[in-house]
Amino acid sequence: MYSLFSQKLALLGLTSAHVISAGATVFCKNYFGASHRVLQLLTFCPTMQPNSSSCQRNFSCKRQKPQKDTLRHIKNREKRKGPNIHSAATVYVQVVGAGNRDAGSSIYVFSEYNRYLFNCGEGTQRLMQEHKLKIARLDSIFLTRMNWANVGGLPGMLLTLKDSGLPQCFLSGPPQLEKFIDAVKVFSGPLRGLNLAVRPYTEPEYSDETMTVYQVPLYAKLECNGHRRQFSPERLPSHVSPPRSPKPRSPKTDLLQLEENEARGSESDSSVGSTEIPARDPSLVVAFICKLHSRKGNFLVEKAKEFGLPLGTAAIGPIITALKNGQSITYEGKEILPEDVCTPSDPGAVFIVIECPNEEFIKPILESEQLKRYQTEASENTASLVVHMTPETVLQNDNYKKWMEGFPSTTEHLILNESSQTVHNLRIHKIQTQLNLIHPEIFPLLKSSQNKEHLMELPAPYVQGECLLKYQLRPKAEWQRDAVPVCNPTEFMEEALQLPDFNAKVEECKQNLAMGTTNLYRKADEYPEVVFLGTGSAIPMKIRNVSSTLVRVSSSQCILFDCGEGTYTQLSHHYGGDVDEVLCKISAAFISHLHADHHTGLLNLLIQRERALKTLKQPFRPLLVVAPPAIITWLFQYHDHCQAILKHINVIPAKCLLEGREVPKFKTRSFIQLLLETYNLEKFETCLVRHCHNAFACSMVHKSGWKIVYSGDTMPCDALIQMGKDATLLIHEATLEDGLEDVALEKTHSTTSQAINVGMKMNAEFIMLNHFSQRYAKIPLFSADFNEKVGISFDHMRVRLADFGAIPKLIPPLKALFAEEIEEMEERREKREMKLMKVQPVLDVKQENNVKQRQQLSVTEELRNPTEFSTKKRDREENCQDLENKKLKII
């Protein structure tokens, strides 16, 4: 019934969102019949505007979710409120990202009352998911500066916090932070349900149950076009007025502005379309001084017994209170001092988080009076720990060394920078090592892109950051390494080889591959080569990252299909020390739509690409970006308020590549021609697909004859089938398993069989499924439609045209490797089907009763007032016909 329903909607140019209204409901009942399954679908779907431009993580005909219960730790916090609350007993600082190419510098601070995150670069959420650092418990996020290295993971993190039911989160840092959140809402939509309390550095200190945090602004005088400049709000020259409020933006006006800037040859180092001082301020870094609240000593019961105190009676309460408050008491003629029966009180340790991105910031750090207070020895304010998010070039500066030397010998120093050799994402190394046993070429081992390890000469004792390294501040100050991940490939291989039937299935697969003759004529074809960098959906998880696919068209040119968060990190894992060469070969990227899991890795890719071109001494050239027009608004807002990035791109609106679309602007036509010439393409085409507003798929036809089609996110779509006719390779999303068609329809995605069916109708030579729901973390469930033309993708899987015959033969060893996970998923499916079987008869009876009641009411109404009933019936029929005609005109 679902497939018939979807097909008839498609014939009329409708999606489920178009039919969810009173008139459309009547139309559906008349057009499809009053099937209980159709009526069920209608009850699932709230009223929506079919052309809504909202781009939230879940969209379309989304069923109304019940209001989430208050999170348990929020309830406990409310109970704790009162004058006698005790300070946290356990507090530690833990490294999340160690500052190398795998993950930017970030730390997680834990207490039994609160959780904090300092900086949130790309991949932070994925690391926290993998290592079970509870995201939903975050109270506050502190950012040291407005740079993508520090905020790249924040858009996805905020969406996850919203979905978790967290009612409020504090954000502290540079004043542009609020503008950044506004920019994120361009593609995320309003973050309803999550109250973001933004606290720029000008706000008073932040305090909660665990500690007080003081923000320390540090201003550097940066060189800009040969001149010194410093754009702090307090130091604006008298003849300069602060930046005005930005005018309302739209993709159309932003695209026009971008073209004007390119025509003027602007390098976009100033606010776009304005002569004002830009709102972004690269001269500002915020340091954080964190002081734990003092904690009273513990009352020692055994000692109290020795002094004969009245334990177990009502009199003991005031005695304990007085002793813990540091007061002596007299009991039965004996004076009892606090230290006799209590442990020493803890005045509260201090730790400092500081970023010094370049040598221009050393002087303001040295001159900061607030920081100097914590370098005094034998003081309660002496820093116990200083976290340095500082590159090695700055650490080797004599003045910075002098500042470090100013702290007492008891102060510990934690270094987070590019010199770290730690492994962050242990699970991807494990699964890739095991997949490599099945086919070493299709599943190549991951490579390291880290710098060679060497010891830095620093005046103070220091510890190089490692993922999950802890420094405990309370109850006892000490380093703890028990959680630091260790990568042991031998252990990973032995674990796989001990699985039942795995080794046998691998050997059988190798024999089948040796006997096979499929695609012999393509053995010499090295290109195109498809590298899957992210094959999951919605949020990055420990096994599958979010959407990104690299197509190596030739030895010198690559193109990206989507660029989700962490794409650059995935490239680093895959290519290791050669990643810069690959970055220089990426000349274009296609962004299918503006959901966070498909484009938030683009900015880091642009920044790292510019660095790679400079490192390899290649001329700079902007990246061609084929994307929905709304991406320009997001890029403009980030450029205006955070970091200059517009010079990195030339935008081709995806709609300009629709079949038959005329492109009036010369600039856009020249970009399209450049795209075709760069990749030696005969055609690059897009089509609108059935997902969110302005969602596109793409097709690229090479002059040598091959054709690759990428679906993006979509339900089964006739326009995609038409565009992709006779494709060599179709990469199609298969978010959900068969049997979840209602969920797929609700979320406007495809099931496994639906994706395969699209490929068959397209007459595609081979179909690779990707974009799997994170419920299928390791492997999706196989459907009956799987055949020799279908494969499933994994992160870091490498596919060439010659591999089409081999990929289906990999399924038996894959099933053996993930047998336990497949069994669990099949059990869940059986439980779900059993539940539906119990519910279905009840729904049928209710539906039948409802139909009978409506029929009875209609007969009664007709008997009472035949003329009025006839008029109403005719009006309903006319309304339905009008709606049908309107939709037919759209086709």
Side-chain angles (χ1 to χ4, degrees), residues 550-566:
L550 181 76
V551 180
R552 302 190 69 179
V553 178
S554 67
S555 60
S556 61
Q557 292 297 337
C558 306
I559 186 171
L560 269 174
F561 291 159
D562 278 328
C563 191
E565 179 187 337

Side-chain angles (χ1 to χ4, degrees), residues 422-445:
T422 187
V423 171
H424 290 88
N425 303 98
L426 187 64
R427 297 302 294 271
I428 64 171
H429 287 273
K430 177 179 178 180
I431 195 169
Q432 196 69 13
T433 301
Q434 294 175 341
L435 290 171
N436 181 260
L437 295 171
I438 298 174
H439 200 297
E441 292 181 6
I442 293 176
F443 302 111
L445 292 174

Side-chain angles (χ1 to χ4, degrees), residues 287-332:
F288 297 97
I289 299 170
C290 310
K291 179 168 175 55
L292 306 188
H293 298 320
S294 60
R295 180 176 173 81
K296 299 173 182 177
N298 295 324
F299 183 72
L300 303 173
V301 175
E302 293 301 323
K303 290 284 186 181
K305 286 181 180 178
E306 294 176 9
F307 283 94
L309 294 178
L311 299 172
T313 67
I316 194 63
I319 294 174
I320 293 176
T321 301
L323 289 168
K324 293 184 75 171
N325 285 334
Q327 302 170 9
S328 301
I329 65 162
T330 301
Y331 182 75
E332 295 183 348

